[in-house]
Amino acid sequence: MIVALALLLQASPLAPPTDWGALQQVPLLRRWEPGEQVATFVRDEVRAGRCATPETKRITVDLVVFLGAEGQVRRIVPRAIDCPTVEQYASGLTLRAMRGNVADVPAAGWYRNSITFEWP
């Protein structure tokens, strides 16, 4: 039963691709950059030890986004960076940044995006 479910998910168009580098960038109308307040949350997660990343002042989260034919977001998958709270936070921010901000897409499918958080 579990094997059948795994095979079904792999065959689904909503299963994320394995080669993210081959994907086109999400076609945004306006570029969105996280502000200082947004980066503060990420900084606090790193400092609190909730991330398996070394102490740093910059983290980039790569994501893939499945866009429908009308540019609507159907699924967002962050690349694992050993910091689940930041991965999910980046996914939510990506969804918010894309509302009303996606240009015409040539076809429904997977696109790539990334968010970089920096703090002093």
Side-chain angles (χ1 to χ4, degrees):
M1 175 90 162
I2 292 175
V3 172
L5 183 59
L7 290 173
L8 180 63
L9 182 59
Q10 288 176 351
S12 168
L14 292 181
T18 55
D19 183 7
W20 292 17
L23 300 174
Q24 293 180 13
Q25 251 332 88
V26 171
L28 294 177
L29 296 170
R30 296 170 309 286
R31 179 91 177 128
W32 180 84
E33 296 290 334
E36 186 176 320
Q37 185 177 15
V38 170
T40 298
F41 171 81
V42 176
R43 179 204 64 204
D44 292 347
E45 290 296 294
V46 170
R47 287 183 180 168
R50 289 188 278 274
C51 298
T53 58
E55 182 66 31
T56 182
K57 294 183 180 202
R58 182 175 200 240
I59 291 180
T60 298
V61 179
D62 295 320
L63 308 106
V64 288
V65 180
F66 190 90
L67 296 176
E70 302 296 319
Q72 68 277 30
V73 176
R74 296 289 188 201
R75 186 167 183 209
I76 298 174
V77 178
R79 187 182 307 274
I81 60 166
D82 293 327
C83 192
T85 55
V86 172
E87 294 163 20
Q88 292 307 307
Y89 188 59
S91 296
L93 290 171
T94 297
L95 178 61
R96 187 172 73 185
M98 291 183 158
R99 281 199 188 114
N101 192 24
V102 177
D104 291 334
V105 293
W110 288 99
Y111 295 82
R112 65 184 164 87
N113 194 37
S114 65
I115 297 180
T116 299
F117 304 96
E118 293 184 86
W119 55 92

